[in-house]
């Protein structure tokens, strides 16, 4: 019969239009998937009618859609606008009740809805599982509800009441979230349309504009499409690394307790998409891309970033700019936050507060509870308030200053303890604030007004709830099953709020509160910065040191905390941050203690370590020499602090290539430690390690190997196999083996050690990078060029990202990469890198330093390969003379330069000079390194070639055969060096910068 409406059938011609509030997108997606699997054509239409259009007209517009209209009923559906229940009841009675077959509905909320919604005859989908919800949906639409076979096995969207398998760190959903629909759509499309490994979107905009809230809403709307959703604070690199590592157990990854091992496992798992390919990682507050972009995971999942910094576009991220609210969004938000205000009043308030979401949220919340009219409030904004009552930073817009002052007075009148809590929090870094550190302090250590707050759960909840109500803070302990308000694990304070609270305080209160925070941080000090298992705790503490102004504290525990944090920063590779802290500490503590206090020597030791790590050897020598001279005069040579300072001075001298002086100091430092502490103390072993490094730099590889072997054995017994210093000894021992030509042994040890380094210290720790670089050299010397190529490239890229292009490690790795590229890669790339290395070392160390001379020798080989023989010849002769001047004629580096120089003498027509040089090298190399050392063998092969050039074939053949026999015995008949020598390819030598 024409005009009769029939239930939806199962053929593709039937259509259902789903009308839903954006807040309930996940429900719409799930319902659409369930219907489309049964052959129904589905149209999804987001419900967001303009407030200027009557509801009746908007509902009539819905009937223009094809097929039946299925409405997803929720409190959000009826709040848009917002509209009153009376308005809705009139519209539903007018438009839905007369034509019930045109509409159907499902209900996804337990909240009270307008009474006239009964006209929909809605199926209730709350508090049931996916199967029952699907059955009720199908019954309501008159569709067969028999289960469908799994035809294609495609999972489809997750049932909205089910959370992703892994879910962590996500803030509570903001039930007052308003608007931003186009921004959410833009972010979703950008992620969905990105290629594999490129799914990164950055929401960027000014402070207070609502980036974090937008990201949280994205998670709740689209989270059903992911198996893993993990939210990470990303304002500080150390915290980001820690929180990302915490994902490991949630992914079911089998890792040890080591921080670095968990971080590596997580990044590898996300990259491979195993066990979950559909993952979403949210990096909140990532305002410094240069600090963390190298740690952003790649793989099949998506990354959503919030940041004030648009420079994320330079790091393969799509940008979505987040502006202030549109005026209609502001009005809708204010009316939802303060229902007593009319649309006109909300518009007035939005204009006065410049549509800034954070300010609207805070102001509208308390204005709704106040008797103050909007006009009176705006008069306050325009007229200002008494600055003697509330002091506000002039850094903020005037509207924000005044609005915050009004809000703060309101808090004082209602829950004064909440203001005290805010003030305490302002002495932590903005963002995530570990208030549990305060709650763990004995009550007697807290100010009276705060002590009551911390010890009384009811008062605590009252203060927290008041701050939450006005959106001053948010709770971050929601992941546990306990009551978040009671546990108070951490609070999140926006940086704008943080800054303005810090200005609103008397000097007396400031001193009292800052002292509490300092003591809380000191009490949280694990006390062992050398233990990698405790690094996450230090990563949490260090960002707060600046805000607690710890450098002005006279408390010995706080001062010890500063020293331990500096040590942690040095060991974990956070050099730049450590140097900044060290610089400020040196100024503050010298003013506090004077020049010669014991604290100054403790500080200068840690500060010098950090400076030395970035290659500032001249500055560290001045620091350490002053300490050595003073301590020697005051306490004598048999003093532990004097020995520590002298050990640092020896390291500085190694950096400055004053190796003989370093050897002398390292020798008596070791003897001093042995006498005072014995052979098995960790400080004695450190001194033994340092002496071995000096011996290696002097070319005394056999002695260095013997000493490093003893140190490694002792550290394995005294410390633990996975201790950072034990692993460091493994690098040293393997390096010595390699420099002595024992390539297989070196490779075996370093390969195993690299795996442990990655697990214990993490892939980006400088020590791990050293281990991987040495492994690359082991592969290269052992003829495994493909493995070496991948490692050389990967290590250099990571080092540039983590430490910067001018760091000593970066230049060391660049030198190796350039040599490899010269022989087995791109000669143009090799030349560009080599020039950069030579200039970098010259700027850092001076023209006469052996690292500058040695890398110039490497560069000359590149020039030889591109046909610039005369230039290469000049450079090599200068390098030979310079190296002999720097380290002596018998040093292996000098002998290596001589081998290279002899080759160029031949090329420029001086075979006699070449033969004389290689003959001299053989004599010296045999004496220094032995007959079968690779460098000696290279000299013998080169000399045989020189003799052939002089037509002394009989002697050349005899020398060559003996050398080939020794090569086969030492390295193997099929080793690349043996094969190359047998093919009469003239050998060369690569200079390798060593660890100092």
């Amino acid at each position: 019969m024409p005009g009769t409406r029939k239930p939806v059938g199962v053929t593709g011609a039937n259509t259902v239009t789903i009308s839903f509030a954006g807040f309930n997108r996940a429900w719409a997606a799930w319902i659409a998937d369930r219907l489309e699997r049964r052959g129904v054509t589905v149209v999804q239409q987001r419900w967001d009618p303009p407030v200027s259009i009557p509801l009746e007209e908007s509902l009539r517009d819905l009937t223009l859609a094809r097929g039946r209209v299925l409405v997803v009923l929720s409190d959000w559906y009826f709040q848009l606008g917002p509209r009153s229940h009376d308005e809705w009841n009139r519209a539903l009675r007018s438009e839905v009740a007369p034509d019930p077959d045109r509409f159907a509905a499902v209900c996804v909320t337990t909240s009270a809805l307008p009474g006239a919604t009964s006209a929909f005859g809605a199926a209730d989908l709350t508090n049931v599982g996916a199967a029952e919800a699907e059955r009720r949906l199908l019954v309501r639409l008159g569709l067969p509800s028999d289960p469908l076979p799994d035809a294609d096995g495609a999972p489809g969207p997750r049932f909205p009441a089910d959370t992703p398998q892994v879910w962590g760190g996500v803030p509570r959903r903001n039930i007052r979230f308003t608007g931003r629909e186009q921004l959410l759509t833009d972010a979703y499309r950008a992620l969905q349309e990105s290629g594999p490994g490129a799914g990164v979107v950055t929401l960027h905009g000014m402070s207070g504009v609502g980036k974090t809230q937008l990201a949280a809403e994205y998670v709740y709307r689209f989270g059903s499409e992911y198996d893993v959703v993990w939210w990470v604070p990303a304002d500080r690199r150390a915290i980001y690394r820690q929180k990302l590592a915490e994902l490991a157990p949630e992914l079911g990854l089998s890792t040890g307790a080591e921080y670095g091992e968990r971080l590596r496992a997580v990044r590898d798992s996300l990259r491979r998409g195993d066990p979950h390919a559909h993952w979403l990682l949210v990096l909140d507050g990532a305002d410094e891309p240069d600090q963390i972009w190298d740690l952003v995971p790649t793989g099949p999942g998506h990354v959503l970033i919030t940041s004030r910094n648009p420079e994320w576009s330079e790091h393969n991220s799509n940008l979505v700019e987040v502006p202030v609210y549109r005026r209609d969004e502001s009005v809708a938000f204010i009316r939802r936050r303060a229902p007593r205000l009319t649309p006109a009043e909300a518009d007035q308030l939005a204009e006065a507060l410049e549509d800034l979401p954070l300010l609207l949220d805070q102001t509208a919340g308390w204005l709704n509870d106040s008797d103050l009219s909007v006009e009176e409030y705006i008069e306050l904004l325009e007229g200002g308030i008494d600055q003697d009552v509330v002091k506000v930073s002039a850094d903020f817009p005037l509207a924000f200053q005044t609005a915050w002052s009004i809000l703060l007075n309101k808090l004082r009148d209602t829950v004064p303890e909440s203001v005290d809590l805010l003030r305490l929090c302002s002495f932590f870094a903005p963002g995530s604030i570990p208030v549990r550190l305060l709650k763990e302090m004995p009550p007697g250590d807290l100010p009276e007004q705060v002590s009551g707050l911390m010890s009384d759960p009811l008062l605590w909840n009252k203060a927290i709830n008041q701050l939450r109500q006005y959106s001053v803070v948010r709770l971050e302990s929601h992941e546990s099953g306990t009551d978040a308000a009671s546990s108070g694990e951490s609070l999140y304070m926006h940086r704008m709020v943080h800054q303005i609270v810090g200005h609103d305080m008397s000097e007396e209160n400031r001193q009292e509160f800052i002292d509490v925070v300092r003591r809380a941080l000191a009490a949280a000090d694990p006390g062992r910065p050398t233990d990698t298992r405790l690094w996450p705790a230090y990563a949490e503490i260090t960002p707060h040191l600046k805000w607690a102004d710890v450098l002005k504290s006279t408390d010995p525990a706080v001062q010890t905390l500063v020293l331990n944090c500096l040590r942690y920063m040095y060991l974990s590779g956070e050099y730049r941050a450590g140097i900044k802290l060290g610089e400020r500490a040196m100024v503050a503590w010298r003013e506090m203690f004077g020049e010669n206090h014991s604290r100054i020597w403790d500080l200068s030791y840690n500060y010098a370590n950090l400076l030395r790590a970035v290659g500032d050897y001249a500055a560290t020598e001045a620091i350490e020499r002053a300490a050595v001279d003073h301590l020697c005069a005051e306490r004598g040579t048999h003093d532990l602090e004097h020995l520590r300072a002298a050990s640092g001075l020896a390291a500085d001298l190694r950096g400055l290539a004053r190796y003989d002086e370093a050897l002398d100091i390292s020798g008596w430092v070791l003897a001093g430690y042995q006498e005072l502490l014995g052979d098995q103390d960790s400080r004695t072993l450190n001194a033994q390690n340092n002496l071995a490094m000096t011996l290696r730099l002097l070319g005394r590889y056999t002695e260095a190997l013997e000493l490093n072997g003893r140190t490694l054995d002792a550290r394995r017994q005294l410390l633990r196999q996975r201790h950072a210093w034990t692993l460091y000894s493994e690098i040293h021992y393997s390096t010595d083996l390699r420099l002595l030509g024992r390539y297989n042994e070196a490779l075996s040890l370093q390969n195993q050690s690299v795996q442990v380094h990655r697990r214990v210290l993490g892939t980006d720790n400088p020590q791990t990078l050293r281990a991987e670089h040495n492994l690359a050299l082991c592969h290269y010397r052992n003829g495994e060029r493909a493995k070496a190529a991948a490692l050389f490239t990967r290590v250099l890229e990571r080092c540039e990202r983590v430490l910067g292009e001018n760091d000593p490690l970066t230049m060391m790795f660049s030198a190796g990469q350039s040599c490899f590229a010269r022989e087995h890669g791109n000669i143009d790339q090799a030349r560009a890198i080599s020039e950069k290395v030579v200039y970098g070392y010259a700027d850092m160390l001076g023209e006469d330093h052996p690292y500058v001379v040695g890398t110039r020798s490497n560069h000359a080989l590149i020039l030889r390969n591109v046909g610039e023989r005369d230039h290469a010849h000049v450079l090599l002769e200068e390098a030979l003379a310079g190296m002999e001047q720097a380290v002596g004629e018998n040093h292996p580096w000098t002998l290596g330069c001589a081998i290279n120089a002899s080759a160029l003498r031949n090329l420029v027509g001086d075979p006699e000079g070449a033969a004389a040089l290689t003959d001299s090298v053989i004599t010296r190399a045999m004496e220094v390194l032995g007959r079968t050392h690779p460098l000696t063998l290279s000299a013998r092969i080169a000399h045989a070639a020189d003799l052939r050039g002089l037509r002394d074939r009989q002697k050349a053949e005899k020398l060559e055969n003996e050398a080939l026999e020794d090569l086969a015995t030492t390295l193997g008949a099929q080793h690349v060096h043996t094969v190359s020598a047998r093919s009469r390819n003239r050998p060369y030598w690569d200079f390798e910068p060593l660890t100092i």
Side-chain angles (χ1 to χ4, degrees), residues 415 417 421 439 443 449-466 468 475 483-488:
V415 188
E417 294 84 0
L421 177 59
K439 300 191 76 170
Q449 67 270 37
V450 179
S451 176
L453 179 67
M454 294 295 178
S455 59
D456 185 343
L458 294 178
L459 189 58
W460 170 263
N461 285 347
K462 183 179 180 183
I464 291 296
N465 288 334
Q466 188 78 14
R468 288 176 58 202
L475 282 170
D483 179 7
S486 299
S487 62

Side-chain angles (χ1 to χ4, degrees), residues 158 189 203 367 399 477 774 929:
R158 180 178 286 99
R189 286 177 177 168
L203 306 174
L367 194 58
S477 55
N774 190 46
L929 299 170

Side-chain angles (χ1 to χ4, degrees), residues 642-647 650 664-674 687:
H642 174 257
L643 292 175
R644 181 180 66 179
S647 182
D664 178 59
I665 294 175
S666 296
W668 61 255
V669 165
L670 175 58
Y673 275 123
Q674 288 171 331

Side-chain angles (χ1 to χ4, degrees), residues 334-482:
I334 292 170
R335 293 197 64 213
R336 185 171 295 119
R337 195 79 168 91
R340 76 176 182 88
L341 302 185
T342 66
E345 290 174 325
D347 188 276
Q348 281 182 284
L349 185 63
E351 182 175 359
L353 298 179
E354 302 172 11
D355 297 295
L356 186 66
L358 176 66
L359 196 49
L360 293 175
D361 195 13
Q362 293 173 342
T363 301
W366 81 261
L367 194 58
N368 189 59
D369 299 335
S370 169
D371 294 331
L372 205 65
S373 70
V374 171
E375 288 79 7
E376 290 171 328
Y377 180 79
I378 292 175
E379 284 180 15
L380 279 177
L381 285 177
E382 293 174 347
I385 61 170
D386 186 355
Q387 291 294 307
D388 292 332
V389 178
V390 178
K391 298 177 182 177
V392 183
S393 169
D395 297 335
F396 295 96
L398 182 61
F400 192 90
Q401 297 178 48
T402 313
W404 177 258
S405 302
I406 297 169
L407 174 59
L408 210 57
N409 283 332
K410 173 75 173 180
L411 289 170
R412 281 198 190 93
D413 293 339
T414 52
V415 188
E417 294 84 0
S418 64
V419 178
D420 293 328
L421 177 59
L422 277 182
R423 288 170 169 171
L424 265 178
C425 289
S426 72
F427 294 108
F428 291 93
S432 183
I433 297 172
V435 290
R436 71 176 189 284
L437 301 184
L438 297 170
K439 300 191 76 170
E440 290 168 359
M441 294 180 70
D445 291 345
L446 293 167
E448 182 178 351
Q449 67 270 37
V450 179
S451 176
L453 179 67
M454 294 295 178
S455 59
D456 185 343
L458 294 178
L459 189 58
W460 170 263
N461 285 347
K462 183 179 180 183
I464 291 296
N465 288 334
Q466 188 78 14
L467 295 174
R468 288 176 58 202
Q469 181 181 346
Y470 297 150
S471 299
V472 177
V473 301
R474 76 166 188 257
L475 282 170
E476 291 205 318
S477 55
H478 44 269
E479 295 310 314
S480 65
T482 60

Side-chain angles (χ1 to χ4, degrees), residues 659-964:
Y659 303 135
D660 290 325
E661 293 178 69
L663 180 66
D664 178 59
I665 294 175
S666 296
W668 61 255
V669 165
L670 175 58
Y673 275 123
Q674 288 171 331
E675 182 177 340
L676 292 175
L677 303 173
D679 291 336
Q680 296 302 304
D681 188 89
S682 63
R683 287 163 288 186
T684 305
L685 296 178
N686 290 346
Q688 192 165 280
N689 172 86
N690 295 341
L691 176 58
M693 277 200 291
T694 309
L695 290 170
R696 183 192 305 133
L697 287 162
L698 283 166
R700 293 159 63 173
Y701 303 144
T702 302
E703 295 172 76
L705 177 72
E706 187 274 332
L707 202 53
N708 272 322
R710 296 209 320 258
T711 306
L712 175 57
D713 290 342
R715 280 177 167 170
R716 282 174 171 170
Q717 294 176 16
L718 179 66
L719 304 173
R720 52 190 171 91
Q721 293 277 358
R722 294 155 69 95
H723 193 283
W725 291 347
T726 306
L727 297 175
Y728 204 29
S729 281
E730 290 179 352
I731 299 176
H732 287 310
Y733 191 66
S734 173
T735 299
D736 293 334
L737 288 170
R738 178 173 53 76
L739 292 174
L740 285 167
R742 294 162 62 176
Y743 300 142
N744 284 323
E745 295 172 75
L747 177 61
S748 176
L749 173 60
Q750 193 60 74
N751 190 48
Q752 178 271 336
S753 184
V754 160
Q755 308 307 317
V756 183
H757 268 90
R758 290 169 178 163
R759 290 194 295 269
V760 174
L761 299 176
T763 54
D764 292 335
N765 184 276
Q767 185 173 315
T768 303
L769 297 176
R770 289 180 194 269
E772 291 188 336
H773 179 65
N774 190 46
L775 179 60
L777 288 167
C778 290
H779 282 307
Y780 187 27
R781 301 299 178 224
N782 216 37
E784 299 170 350
R785 291 170 181 166
K787 293 180 179 178
L791 260 180
F792 275 130
T793 301
R794 190 163 68 243
V795 170
L796 178 56
E797 287 177 351
R798 287 214 312 276
C799 195
E800 286 178 336
R801 293 172 186 170
V802 175
L803 299 177
E805 293 185 351
N806 298 318
D807 187 86
L809 268 190
T810 305
M811 288 194 284
M812 179 190 296
F813 300 164
S814 297
Q817 173 75 8
S818 174
C819 290
F820 184 86
R822 181 194 71 226
E823 299 300 321
H824 308 292
N826 184 326
I827 193 68
D828 293 328
Q829 178 197 41
R831 184 170 189 168
I833 295 174
S834 178
E835 288 174 348
K836 198 172 183 179
V837 170
V838 172
Y839 291 135
Y841 272 136
D843 287 343
M844 178 185 292
L845 305 171
E847 292 288 341
D848 297 328
H849 195 283
Y851 284 16
V852 178
V853 176
T855 51
R856 280 211 171 100
S857 173
N858 292 345
H859 191 67
L861 296 180
I862 297 173
L863 298 179
R864 175 204 65 183
N865 286 7
V866 298
E868 299 180 26
R869 295 179 178 180
D870 291 335
H871 189 188
H873 173 57
V874 171
L875 270 186
L876 282 170
E877 293 296 336
E878 290 176 351
L880 176 58
M883 195 64 83
E884 185 172 333
Q885 179 68 32
V887 295
E889 65 176 359
N890 292 327
H891 195 290
W893 294 346
T894 306
L895 302 178
C897 285
I899 291 175
N900 293 342
S902 69
L904 266 295
R905 289 184 184 183
N906 261 312
L907 288 176
V908 298
D910 182 15
E912 293 84 1
L917 187 54
T918 50
D919 185 42
S920 171
V921 170
I922 292 172
T923 302
R924 287 178 282 158
M926 284 187 174
E927 180 181 345
V928 174
L929 299 170
R931 175 185 175 85
T932 58
H933 187 278
L935 188 58
T936 309
L937 292 169
S938 292
R940 291 163 64 187
I941 294 293
H943 188 52
D946 292 337
L947 292 174
R948 279 196 302 274
L950 294 174
R951 303 190 182 280
D952 192 348
R953 292 188 176 87
Q954 184 176 358
K955 188 175 179 181
E957 186 173 348
K958 179 177 182 298
L959 182 59
E960 182 180 61
N961 288 337
E962 290 173 350
L964 287 172

Side-chain angles (χ1 to χ4, degrees), residues 39-56:
V40 178
T41 299
V42 176
V43 176
Q44 298 184 48
Q45 184 170 323
R46 182 172 54 81
W47 171 257
D48 189 12
V51 70
S52 57
I53 297 177
L55 264 179
E56 290 83 354

